[in-house]
Amino acid sequence: MPRGLLVCGFGVCACLRLWAQAEAVNAPEPGGRLAQWDRLRQKKEEEIRAPERKGLEKALYRFKEEHVMERLAAGWRGVHLVFGGLQTGSGFALGAEFRQERLARGIVDLRVGARGSLHAYEKWEFQIGMPRLHNEHVFLDFTATYRNYPQSRYFGIGPRSRKADRTNFRLEDTTYLGSLGLKWKRWFRVGMRGGIIAANTGPGTDSRYASTETVFRPSNTPALDFQPDHYQVGAFAQMDWRDEPGNPRSGGNYLVQWNLFGDRNQSLYTFRRYEAEFQQYVPFFNRRRVIAFRARTSLTDTSPGQTVPFYMMPTLGGSEDLRGFREFRFRDKNLMVYNLEYRWEVFSGLDMALFGDAGKVFGNRSDFSLDKLEGAYGIGFRFNQAKAVFLRIDLGRSREGTRIFFKFGHVF
Amino acid sequence: MCSERPIHRSGERLVLALLVAASAPAQKFLPDDPIARDPDDRHIAAPRRYKLSDYYDFLQNSFGSPGDRKPRTAMNINTLGEVPDSSWFTNRHGRRRLSIEELVRGPDRGTGPAPGPWKVLRGKNEGITPGFSLIEDSRGERYAIKFDPPGNLEMATSADVLGSKFFYAAGYHVPENYIVYFRPEQLELGPDAVITDTLGKQRKMDRRDIHELLNRVARAPDGRYRAVASRILAGQDMGPFRYYGTRPDDPNDIFPHEHRRELRGLWVLAAWLNHDDSRAINTLDMLVNENGRQFIRHYLIDFGSILGSGSTSEQKPRAGYEYLWEPGIAFARMATLGLYDRHWIRIRYPVYPSIGRIEGDHFRPEEWKPEYPNPAFLNCLPEDAYWAAKIVMSFTDEEIRRIVAAGRISDQQAEDYLIGVIIKRRDKVGRYWLNAVNSVDRFQIQGDRLHFEDLAVQYGFAGRPAAYTAAWYRYDNERDRKTPMQVSQEAAGPPLVIPAEARTAGDALYFTVQIRRKVEGGARIPQAVHVYFRKEPGGLKIVGIEREE
């Protein structure tokens, strides 16, 4: 035991000696540079304090850490607050939407929503879809929509309708629509759809303007007095190879579709609609500049004795096509519109655009020509996130004045 | 970006005096100069983890000017103008040439995750890149797994690995990054595996999460997944460091970061390798415990957005040429309807998906910019940049070739292109910054001769001067005063003869020589290098080097 103690004692002494030597080696030379730095470190040690966030830093830190944006986007238990989404002129619109994706073993998406506006517009939707069938090559979708738009704008039919003839009417419709399609690659879709549309119109509630039925007659406004129910069958094909659909800089999007709308009541309002849209994006200067072009047409074919209800005619004017004119300014059985934009990047968060729009509505397909197009031009500001435009401000000018549009999302 | 304003040595003394407090003696050289190591690994009490707000970091640096922006000499250098080894930096290839094997190995101390099953412990759906933030291999070693974006197989993973090797060789502390290939079957769910969703919430991870995560990343043609396995750093994560100020709870951290030479000079290295994401969020302070001492070691992490890689896509054409927000340029573009723009929008890049977007012809090292202003980079002076450029130039063509090969880029043409670009950018860095100051360097005393090398000449970035002129002085270290020794020399090249008075002087006496280049026609390039000597028992010792800017 004493021998063991002796050995331990020697061991401890040796360790202490080594430690002391090591300390001596590490000790800074008095009056030396390291001694100066050592003093500074000792001084700082006396004043040590934990880093803390204040003011804006604290707020931004919490904003990120609490995932505020993601929570807003994700909603509460699948319920999301939704803004807008109604027709232009509806006033401030707000609603709620319940969304659940990947239900039933991951194949079913569900969406149920309702929204209303200050001018008493309302819209109810139910959608159930299976967008990922057969390894995402097959999609199936069913949508039921109820709309009640009490101040829909109507200026009359045809290219010569007058701005001063603005009226308003209530459009109330319910649509049940199913679609089935195939998807090849990531950019090609083809499919068919079918459904039922039940519509009513009534007096408009915007007291600033006359109600439509007080100015127009069924003779110049088809189906003003009676609104038939329709069935719809159709087919479509789309080739979409845009790089970023939310803010495309290259590629194209081409869509053709055909739909038959059959009058279920009187067989007076049966028509066929052929629609085509061509979008092309030509980038240059490292995609910081883009020429964007869109051509769109909607042609309606009716058998003798048949016509198209005024509220189902394609419309022209507003933020999506003929900027510089009011929304729904023109309507007729046929439509053609061209948009050309020169877009340039100001900085990562903002693109600007110079645009020119031209288009017309027409009653006879023989008028399908570039004659007598209405024109508009203007400048736009597009505020971007990483891959999409989240706010668009377009200032458009036409022979009818200047319009400014605030819109979420891109124009096309 | 680099300030061209000269730094007067009196100003330098003032800064130093401020730093070391009023008690410091007013001597230029202290007995232990030049120091080789800053012992900033003193034991400290455990600090609190401090995570930065990246939004705030962006706003603060884009719209404010944090840190001390007065042009002053870096504070953490020794009297030779070098950066002592510390918890921030270890002199490696720039001082002692590493072998090819050492360069290729870089920070790696192992071989990466062991073959066999990998246990997934944590996944992440948040952040810009999906991945597994924690896996454990069959040896129990832990890694984070990061992937390439779809369409750019090999791009981000090779960038991450190459970045770790280049920055390690340069001297920075970086994580071990390994390129790995695996099949989904190799992944096992750990018993307590969790995944962080986009809301930041953790929940139990299941096999479907792995499947969905892998669906969002690039996959090799043979069906395997390629990833970078970044070994989890030893110690406790204390959060990132800022590029300005000091950490208030770390007593070892006394030099404002914007005045640290290795952080100022990082601008030059970042420019070389197009590390535009060199911001606070890509740094990490780790509390380590070594030799019974607990201290913070400072790391650069996440090199997935360097070279031609932008991590989730190819590098933006803007990268390196313009900050995210530059009001002058933005308003000019706005006002001219986009007719005005910078030259970078017209640069044409070859299409190499495994490389991304990088080139060397239009690269201007002195104009290179990260994503947003970096206080340390903005404070970079020609001396700092010169220091970094020497490190950049220390990588030979062959070394670059071998390091790039470690990125395992399967397209040989793409790899050759990348090597060519890195070499071209290296030479541009060297040509600019080795000519920004007098590049007479690598002084050595052999007998009665002072040997040196003129780096700009040696690398072919400057013509050989007609002669080097040298003026010798006695130096009073107490009063910072020079007295001419009436010894002037003019030599066609090194070495210079050291005057006998200096060689035979008594101990602790100081001398200095001022060396200038003399070009044809007799004109002198004004920049001079001042070399200081101290007589010690063993002979003369070089104790200081100062370069005029």
Side-chain angles (χ1 to χ4, degrees), chain B residues 49 53 65 73 92 127 146 164 217 258 303 333-334 355 370 410 427 460 508:
Chain B
R49 181 168 188 249
S53 159
S65 54
T73 300
R92 296 193 181 104
K146 296 179 276 185
S164 70
V217 302
E258 69 273 28
F303 303 106
R333 285 194 190 111
M334 200 181 271
I355 300 296
S410 52
D427 290 346

PDB file of all heavy atoms in Angstrom, chain B residues 49 53 65 73 92 127 146 164 217 258 303 333-334 355 370 410 427 460 508:
ATOM      1  N   ARG B  49     -25.991  29.553 -27.898  1.00  0.00           N
ATOM      2  CA  ARG B  49     -26.158  29.437 -29.348  1.00  0.00           C
ATOM      3  C   ARG B  49     -26.913  30.658 -29.862  1.00  0.00           C
ATOM      4  O   ARG B  49     -27.918  31.061 -29.277  1.00  0.00           O
ATOM      5  CB  ARG B  49     -26.944  28.159 -29.679  1.00  0.00           C
ATOM      6  CG  ARG B  49     -27.121  27.976 -31.160  1.00  0.00           C
ATOM      7  CD  ARG B  49     -27.621  26.584 -31.492  1.00  0.00           C
ATOM      8  NE  ARG B  49     -27.612  26.384 -32.925  1.00  0.00           N
ATOM      9  CZ  ARG B  49     -28.701  26.271 -33.689  1.00  0.00           C
ATOM     10  NH1 ARG B  49     -29.893  26.298 -33.125  1.00  0.00           N
ATOM     11  NH2 ARG B  49     -28.606  26.092 -34.980  1.00  0.00           N
ATOM     12  N   SER B  53     -30.704  35.929 -38.143  1.00  0.00           N
ATOM     13  CA  SER B  53     -31.827  36.055 -39.079  1.00  0.00           C
ATOM     14  C   SER B  53     -31.232  36.363 -40.439  1.00  0.00           C
ATOM     15  O   SER B  53     -30.595  37.409 -40.623  1.00  0.00           O
ATOM     16  CB  SER B  53     -32.760  37.183 -38.631  1.00  0.00           C
ATOM     17  OG  SER B  53     -33.527  37.624 -39.724  1.00  0.00           O
ATOM     18  N   SER B  65     -24.723  49.924 -43.144  1.00  0.00           N
ATOM     19  CA  SER B  65     -23.278  49.696 -43.299  1.00  0.00           C
ATOM     20  C   SER B  65     -22.715  49.261 -41.946  1.00  0.00           C
ATOM     21  O   SER B  65     -22.057  50.029 -41.262  1.00  0.00           O
ATOM     22  CB  SER B  65     -22.573  50.946 -43.809  1.00  0.00           C
ATOM     23  OG  SER B  65     -22.871  52.041 -42.984  1.00  0.00           O
ATOM     24  N   THR B  73      -5.438  49.035 -41.580  1.00  0.00           N
ATOM     25  CA  THR B  73      -4.767  47.749 -41.757  1.00  0.00           C
ATOM     26  C   THR B  73      -5.427  46.676 -40.900  1.00  0.00           C
ATOM     27  O   THR B  73      -5.901  46.951 -39.799  1.00  0.00           O
ATOM     28  CB  THR B  73      -3.288  47.892 -41.367  1.00  0.00           C
ATOM     29  OG1 THR B  73      -2.720  48.883 -42.216  1.00  0.00           O
ATOM     30  CG2 THR B  73      -2.541  46.594 -41.550  1.00  0.00           C
ATOM     31  N   ARG B  92      -1.807  26.942 -44.571  1.00  0.00           N
ATOM     32  CA  ARG B  92      -1.540  25.630 -45.185  1.00  0.00           C
ATOM     33  C   ARG B  92      -0.797  25.844 -46.506  1.00  0.00           C
ATOM     34  O   ARG B  92       0.379  26.140 -46.504  1.00  0.00           O
ATOM     35  CB  ARG B  92      -2.858  24.868 -45.398  1.00  0.00           C
ATOM     36  CG  ARG B  92      -3.560  24.530 -44.084  1.00  0.00           C
ATOM     37  CD  ARG B  92      -4.676  23.521 -44.246  1.00  0.00           C
ATOM     38  NE  ARG B  92      -5.307  23.259 -42.946  1.00  0.00           N
ATOM     39  CZ  ARG B  92      -6.480  23.740 -42.556  1.00  0.00           C
ATOM     40  NH1 ARG B  92      -7.193  24.488 -43.360  1.00  0.00           N
ATOM     41  NH2 ARG B  92      -6.970  23.462 -41.346  1.00  0.00           N
ATOM     42  N   GLY B 127     -36.177  24.857 -45.978  1.00  0.00           N
ATOM     43  CA  GLY B 127     -34.973  25.328 -46.632  1.00  0.00           C
ATOM     44  C   GLY B 127     -35.080  25.181 -48.129  1.00  0.00           C
ATOM     45  O   GLY B 127     -36.072  24.676 -48.644  1.00  0.00           O
ATOM     46  N   LYS B 146     -26.725  16.006 -48.878  1.00  0.00           N
ATOM     47  CA  LYS B 146     -27.286  17.039 -49.767  1.00  0.00           C
ATOM     48  C   LYS B 146     -27.214  16.544 -51.210  1.00  0.00           C
ATOM     49  O   LYS B 146     -26.313  15.787 -51.560  1.00  0.00           O
ATOM     50  CB  LYS B 146     -26.504  18.348 -49.619  1.00  0.00           C
ATOM     51  CG  LYS B 146     -26.608  18.961 -48.229  1.00  0.00           C
ATOM     52  CD  LYS B 146     -25.801  20.239 -48.122  1.00  0.00           C
ATOM     53  CE  LYS B 146     -24.351  19.970 -47.802  1.00  0.00           C
ATOM     54  NZ  LYS B 146     -23.563  21.187 -47.587  1.00  0.00           N
ATOM     55  N   SER B 164     -14.857  22.720 -50.389  1.00  0.00           N
ATOM     56  CA  SER B 164     -14.251  22.325 -49.110  1.00  0.00           C
ATOM     57  C   SER B 164     -12.754  22.079 -49.288  1.00  0.00           C
ATOM     58  O   SER B 164     -11.956  22.409 -48.416  1.00  0.00           O
ATOM     59  CB  SER B 164     -14.955  21.095 -48.546  1.00  0.00           C
ATOM     60  OG  SER B 164     -14.673  19.958 -49.325  1.00  0.00           O
ATOM     61  N   VAL B 217     -35.008  15.301 -56.251  1.00  0.00           N
ATOM     62  CA  VAL B 217     -33.579  15.555 -56.482  1.00  0.00           C
ATOM     63  C   VAL B 217     -33.109  14.791 -57.715  1.00  0.00           C
ATOM     64  O   VAL B 217     -33.818  13.936 -58.251  1.00  0.00           O
ATOM     65  CB  VAL B 217     -32.741  15.157 -55.245  1.00  0.00           C
ATOM     66  CG1 VAL B 217     -33.205  15.934 -54.021  1.00  0.00           C
ATOM     67  CG2 VAL B 217     -32.830  13.662 -54.984  1.00  0.00           C
ATOM     68  N   GLU B 258     -14.504  42.427 -39.428  1.00  0.00           N
ATOM     69  CA  GLU B 258     -14.260  43.176 -40.670  1.00  0.00           C
ATOM     70  C   GLU B 258     -12.811  43.627 -40.774  1.00  0.00           C
ATOM     71  O   GLU B 258     -12.383  44.138 -41.805  1.00  0.00           O
ATOM     72  CB  GLU B 258     -15.213  44.370 -40.780  1.00  0.00           C
ATOM     73  CG  GLU B 258     -14.983  45.515 -39.798  1.00  0.00           C
ATOM     74  CD  GLU B 258     -15.707  45.318 -38.478  1.00  0.00           C
ATOM     75  OE1 GLU B 258     -15.926  44.155 -38.089  1.00  0.00           O
ATOM     76  OE2 GLU B 258     -16.042  46.332 -37.830  1.00  0.00           O
ATOM     77  N   PHE B 303     -20.718  24.921 -49.538  1.00  0.00           N
ATOM     78  CA  PHE B 303     -20.141  25.444 -50.775  1.00  0.00           C
ATOM     79  C   PHE B 303     -20.951  24.997 -51.990  1.00  0.00           C
ATOM     80  O   PHE B 303     -20.425  24.938 -53.097  1.00  0.00           O
ATOM     81  CB  PHE B 303     -18.689  24.970 -50.893  1.00  0.00           C
ATOM     82  CG  PHE B 303     -17.837  25.375 -49.719  1.00  0.00           C
ATOM     83  CD1 PHE B 303     -17.457  24.443 -48.765  1.00  0.00           C
ATOM     84  CD2 PHE B 303     -17.446  26.688 -49.552  1.00  0.00           C
ATOM     85  CE1 PHE B 303     -16.704  24.807 -47.670  1.00  0.00           C
ATOM     86  CE2 PHE B 303     -16.689  27.062 -48.460  1.00  0.00           C
ATOM     87  CZ  PHE B 303     -16.313  26.121 -47.515  1.00  0.00           C
ATOM     88  N   ARG B 333     -31.878  50.967 -65.070  1.00  0.00           N
ATOM     89  CA  ARG B 333     -32.601  50.012 -65.924  1.00  0.00           C
ATOM     90  C   ARG B 333     -34.064  50.438 -66.082  1.00  0.00           C
ATOM     91  O   ARG B 333     -34.657  50.326 -67.146  1.00  0.00           O
ATOM     92  CB  ARG B 333     -32.571  48.620 -65.297  1.00  0.00           C
ATOM     93  CG  ARG B 333     -31.241  47.937 -65.435  1.00  0.00           C
ATOM     94  CD  ARG B 333     -31.405  46.458 -65.094  1.00  0.00           C
ATOM     95  NE  ARG B 333     -30.117  45.833 -64.998  1.00  0.00           N
ATOM     96  CZ  ARG B 333     -29.565  45.379 -63.879  1.00  0.00           C
ATOM     97  NH1 ARG B 333     -30.226  45.452 -62.747  1.00  0.00           N
ATOM     98  NH2 ARG B 333     -28.377  44.835 -63.881  1.00  0.00           N
ATOM     99  N   MET B 334     -34.603  50.913 -64.975  1.00  0.00           N
ATOM    100  CA  MET B 334     -36.009  51.307 -64.981  1.00  0.00           C
ATOM    101  C   MET B 334     -36.207  52.511 -65.908  1.00  0.00           C
ATOM    102  O   MET B 334     -37.082  52.517 -66.770  1.00  0.00           O
ATOM    103  CB  MET B 334     -36.402  51.675 -63.544  1.00  0.00           C
ATOM    104  CG  MET B 334     -37.870  51.639 -63.257  1.00  0.00           C
ATOM    105  SD  MET B 334     -38.178  52.109 -61.558  1.00  0.00           S
ATOM    106  CE  MET B 334     -38.067  50.566 -60.728  1.00  0.00           C
ATOM    107  N   ILE B 355     -21.778  21.462 -64.610  1.00  0.00           N
ATOM    108  CA  ILE B 355     -20.920  22.563 -64.160  1.00  0.00           C
ATOM    109  C   ILE B 355     -21.755  23.760 -63.745  1.00  0.00           C
ATOM    110  O   ILE B 355     -21.461  24.431 -62.765  1.00  0.00           O
ATOM    111  CB  ILE B 355     -19.962  23.008 -65.301  1.00  0.00           C
ATOM    112  CG1 ILE B 355     -19.059  21.867 -65.742  1.00  0.00           C
ATOM    113  CG2 ILE B 355     -19.155  24.222 -64.887  1.00  0.00           C
ATOM    114  CD1 ILE B 355     -18.136  21.391 -64.675  1.00  0.00           C
ATOM    115  N   PRO B 370     -20.323  39.528 -53.998  1.00  0.00           N
ATOM    116  CA  PRO B 370     -21.173  38.430 -53.507  1.00  0.00           C
ATOM    117  C   PRO B 370     -22.646  38.810 -53.634  1.00  0.00           C
ATOM    118  O   PRO B 370     -22.969  39.851 -54.212  1.00  0.00           O
ATOM    119  CB  PRO B 370     -20.751  38.300 -52.044  1.00  0.00           C
ATOM    120  CG  PRO B 370     -20.298  39.660 -51.668  1.00  0.00           C
ATOM    121  CD  PRO B 370     -19.749  40.301 -52.912  1.00  0.00           C
ATOM    122  N   SER B 410     -18.484  13.481 -64.422  1.00  0.00           N
ATOM    123  CA  SER B 410     -18.328  12.398 -65.391  1.00  0.00           C
ATOM    124  C   SER B 410     -18.115  12.896 -66.817  1.00  0.00           C
ATOM    125  O   SER B 410     -17.536  12.203 -67.639  1.00  0.00           O
ATOM    126  CB  SER B 410     -19.537  11.463 -65.335  1.00  0.00           C
ATOM    127  OG  SER B 410     -20.714  12.211 -65.445  1.00  0.00           O
ATOM    128  N   ASP B 427      -5.318  33.207 -62.607  1.00  0.00           N
ATOM    129  CA  ASP B 427      -4.326  34.103 -63.199  1.00  0.00           C
ATOM    130  C   ASP B 427      -4.798  35.553 -63.194  1.00  0.00           C
ATOM    131  O   ASP B 427      -3.996  36.474 -63.031  1.00  0.00           O
ATOM    132  CB  ASP B 427      -4.001  33.651 -64.624  1.00  0.00           C
ATOM    133  CG  ASP B 427      -3.226  32.337 -64.629  1.00  0.00           C
ATOM    134  OD1 ASP B 427      -2.730  31.943 -63.545  1.00  0.00           O
ATOM    135  OD2 ASP B 427      -3.130  31.696 -65.689  1.00  0.00           O
ATOM    136  N   GLY B 460       4.891  35.866 -64.191  1.00  0.00           N
ATOM    137  CA  GLY B 460       4.699  36.392 -65.542  1.00  0.00           C
ATOM    138  C   GLY B 460       3.637  37.476 -65.623  1.00  0.00           C
ATOM    139  O   GLY B 460       3.107  37.746 -66.700  1.00  0.00           O
ATOM    140  N   ALA B 508      19.531  42.951 -30.363  1.00  0.00           N
ATOM    141  CA  ALA B 508      18.330  43.769 -30.139  1.00  0.00           C
ATOM    142  C   ALA B 508      18.356  45.087 -30.897  1.00  0.00           C
ATOM    143  O   ALA B 508      17.530  45.955 -30.643  1.00  0.00           O
ATOM    144  CB  ALA B 508      18.098  44.018 -28.649  1.00  0.00           C
TER     145      ALA B 508
END
